Amino acid sequence: MDSKFDLFDGGRSDSNAPPAYDAVSTSSMSAYSIQSRPQSVFSKEQTEQIRTTVLSLIRDIVTAPDFVPSSVGSIIDACVASLPTAEFTALLQESNIEGHTPVYWAVVNNRPEALAAFLKFINTFTSGGCEDMRLACMATSDHALFMKLQLASYYNESKPLDRCLGCPTYDAQVSGGDTQNQFIAKMQIGMFQKRMRVAHSICVELISQGRIWRLVFSMGTDTGGQVSLSLAEHSLPARPKALFTVEAHNGQPKSLEILFQLKKKAHLLAPVGYVNNSIHTCTFLSASLGGWVMFDDTMYTDSDGTLHVRLEVTLE
């Protein structure tokens, strides 16, 4: 077969040296039509060489500074024609580019065309792929993408129970405050009391200021509810002053307000496992919600049983 794709000429190619992007033509790759031929016709060395070339093309899609976005479609088509779909999907979630996945770099380097193309092949994130996407959203403070891909649910211990209960995914919107060191988050948590009575805890995550913030609602030892504010793994420490508000309903004007603040100004809020001997840290700030969490017909949930909360954070 006459082919322009020299990669598959076993007598002339060097399997240890991935070809440069400009040396590999996507049109010739497509023309070779590997997918239409039995995979067994290729040796192990040739198969590995194909994989190396596909990874080289993907690397250029997400990292090359002069990459043309309009070429994403044709390159992806060529890659999929060269590897089984399952193997291509796995490749997208492997940490094969400077310790991160291709989907991570698509987010961090703002390649929306590439990200959209990659996500068509990912029905479910692996644990490693999910963790890398969480890091990418945190690095870019992309809360909208974090919510769209439901990346928080991968670390929700009550997820199986929520599914059995038919609980909707919580909704959270994040916006900037009056100054650059502020942000405001508004959250709606459906079936709040039912979830608390069955699962005994609810975890809500949001992204702002390059960190993943976590609100955890739980049942305290005194039969009342508690809420805590913390930072998820890999987030940098912070010194927050946060006003947490639970909206009142049923015609009641008074909302519930809680102020989260570090007891000592020298301390910082840090994720569990964070180690820095030069600073003093704490892993969470907590407060009591009171007994209303278990009360029937409480004024703090709406007619559908949804809890509406607001979190205003200022970083000091």
Side-chain angles (χ1 to χ4, degrees), residues 104 108 133-142 207 210-212:
Y104 169 93
V108 171
M133 284 298 286
R134 284 169 61 91
L135 292 176
C137 291
M138 183 173 68
T140 56
S141 281
D142 196 336
I207 289 182
R211 300 172 176 88
I212 298 179

Side-chain angles (χ1 to χ4, degrees), residues 133-259:
M133 284 298 286
R134 284 169 61 91
L135 292 176
C137 291
M138 183 173 68
T140 56
S141 281
D142 196 336
H143 173 76
L145 181 62
F146 183 77
M147 293 297 296
K148 180 180 179 181
L149 298 181
Q150 298 184 17
L151 296 173
S153 64
Y154 282 79
Y155 291 86
N156 187 350
E157 294 181 357
S158 63
K159 183 180 179 181
L161 277 176
D162 288 348
R163 187 183 299 112
C164 291
L165 292 170
C167 296
T169 303
Y170 71 85
D171 193 17
Q173 309 87 38
V174 177
S175 60
D178 295 332
T179 60
Q180 291 183 335
N181 64 328
Q182 294 180 331
F183 71 87
I184 299 171
K186 296 180 180 180
M187 293 151 279
Q188 299 81 44
I189 307 169
M191 300 172 62
F192 178 77
Q193 284 187 301
K194 186 175 184 179
R195 294 162 86 166
M196 290 294 288
R197 290 171 177 176
V198 176
H200 300 163
S201 68
I202 300 173
C203 178
V204 176
E205 289 186 325
L206 57 95
I207 289 182
S208 185
Q209 301 287 345
R211 300 172 176 88
I212 298 179
W213 301 83
R214 183 177 288 161
L215 276 173
V216 176
F217 300 86
S218 60
M219 296 306 301
T221 56
D222 59 352
T223 71
Q226 289 188 331
V227 60
S228 65
L229 176 67
S230 61
L231 289 167
E233 187 180 9
H234 302 300
S235 296
L236 291 173
R239 186 175 289 111
K241 180 178 180 181
L243 179 62
F244 175 78
T245 304
V246 180
E247 294 182 12
H249 298 275
N250 303 327
Q252 300 295 323
K254 187 173 179 57
S255 297
L256 174 65
E257 292 187 347
I258 294 173
L259 181 64

Side-chain angles (χ1 to χ4, degrees), residues 259-281:
L259 181 64
F260 288 117
Q261 191 169 12
L262 293 160
K263 293 181 179 180
K264 296 182 179 180
K265 289 188 176 181
H267 286 192
L268 291 172
L269 182 66
V272 173
Y274 179 85
V275 178
N276 187 331
N277 295 328
S278 65
I279 61 175
H280 298 285
T281 63

